[in-house]
Structure formats: C-alpha cells, structure tokens
Amino acid sequence: MKADEAGQFEFQFAARDLDQMRAKLWCGKVTTARWLLCAAAGELRRVDRKQHSRRVVAKINRLAQMIIEFDRYLEINQSSMPNYAKRSLQGLPVSSSRAQSSANALVNRRMNKRRQMRWSPQGAQRVLQTRVAVLDGRLQDGRFSLAA
C-alpha cells in the first residue's frame, strides 16, 4: 500500500468516527460522542507526518486542534446538550434560528451608527441575556447570573 493510500485510509477512519460522533450528539449521547471524538483524534495522532506534504500536515494538525477544542466544549456543556432526536419525535423545535435571528435584528438595529444611543457589544449581550432570563422565568427565581 502506497503512502497516499495509507493516509487516505487513516483519514477515512477518522471521518467515519466523526460521522458517528455527530449521530450520537443528535441523540444526546454526549459521553459516547466524546469517546468517538477522542478515537478520531487518536487516529490523527498515529498518522505518519513524514509521508505527507507540509500542507497536508498543517491540515492534520489543524483538524487535531479543532477536535481538542470541540471536546473541551462538549465537556463544559455536557449537561446542557439537548437530545434533538427525542425533541424531533415529540414535534418540538430543534433549532433556535428564529430566536437568534430576532436577537440579531434587535442588536443590529441598536448598533446602527446613526442611532443616538448605541450599545456596546458587551452591553448588547447583557441586555439579551436579561431578556431571555425574563422570558424563561430565571430572573424571577433569582437563578440568573451573567456569563463572563
């Protein structure tokens, strides 16, 4: 087997793990997804970088770094990851795009340079957090804390 073929095989294995990881995340199985993510990272670590060009090695290193960062994100947010498959079966929305577009429209309108009172990006984020806390009842319960 040539070096190119071996490299493609290794990358295909990592891609298969990543596809399975995405399916596990859809079903809310974060621990299993993180395990698959680590397996893909392990496969990338085993790639013989001497057999590839600098450009390919740079891409391998960037992908490995992105996997590490995504794993850290999943670790931090594991408890709040939704089970999209369950929500979909129950007829519940699986996207927050309507809320996000409304928030973006509000911020863009307020951030317009021609307005007399303009928000700073940090101020806009705080106002949006407060509005969300009011809508979901966290502000009344006293459980609201600003994100850093």
Side-chain angles (χ1 to χ4, degrees):
M1 186 180 291
K2 294 181 184 175
D4 255 357
E5 294 171 2
Q8 285 179 349
F9 174 76
E10 291 165 349
F11 294 131
Q12 287 173 353
F13 185 84
R16 188 178 68 232
D17 281 348
L18 293 175
D19 284 341
Q20 289 177 359
M21 185 254 340
R22 184 178 56 194
K24 296 298 181 187
L25 283 177
W26 176 260
C27 295
K29 298 179 179 177
V30 180
T31 303
T32 307
R34 288 188 64 211
W35 184 85
L36 288 167
L37 197 62
C38 289
E43 287 300 313
L44 286 177
R45 273 189 233 108
R46 285 190 280 280
V47 171
D48 185 8
R49 285 161 169 73
K50 293 177 185 175
Q51 295 180 355
H52 298 286
S53 68
R54 280 186 182 174
R55 195 179 83 190
V56 171
V57 169
K59 287 182 179 185
I60 292 170
N61 292 339
R62 178 68 184 132
L63 179 58
Q65 182 61 35
M66 290 171 67
I67 287 174
I68 290 167
E69 291 171 8
F70 187 53
D71 182 53
R72 179 75 177 134
Y73 170 83
L74 290 176
E75 179 184 5
I76 292 169
N77 297 297
Q78 186 165 355
S79 62
S80 63
M81 297 294 290
N83 183 337
Y84 292 110
K86 184 177 178 182
R87 290 182 62 84
S88 180
L89 288 173
Q90 293 173 346
L92 297 171
V94 294
S95 171
S96 60
S97 60
R98 286 179 58 194
Q100 289 173 352
S101 69
S102 298
N104 286 340
L106 174 68
V107 170
N108 288 338
R109 185 171 176 201
R110 192 50 102 157
M111 297 291 283
N112 188 341
K113 290 182 181 178
R114 292 178 292 205
R115 306 260 321 172
Q116 285 182 337
M117 291 182 62
R118 229 176 130 220
W119 288 347
S120 67
Q122 184 182 19
Q125 179 66 26
R126 296 255 167 98
V127 168
L128 291 174
Q129 286 177 337
T130 304
R131 287 188 178 187
V132 168
V134 168
L135 290 174
D136 69 9
R138 283 185 292 146
L139 195 59
Q140 290 175 336
D141 297 344
R143 294 182 290 127
F144 181 68
S145 64
L146 291 175

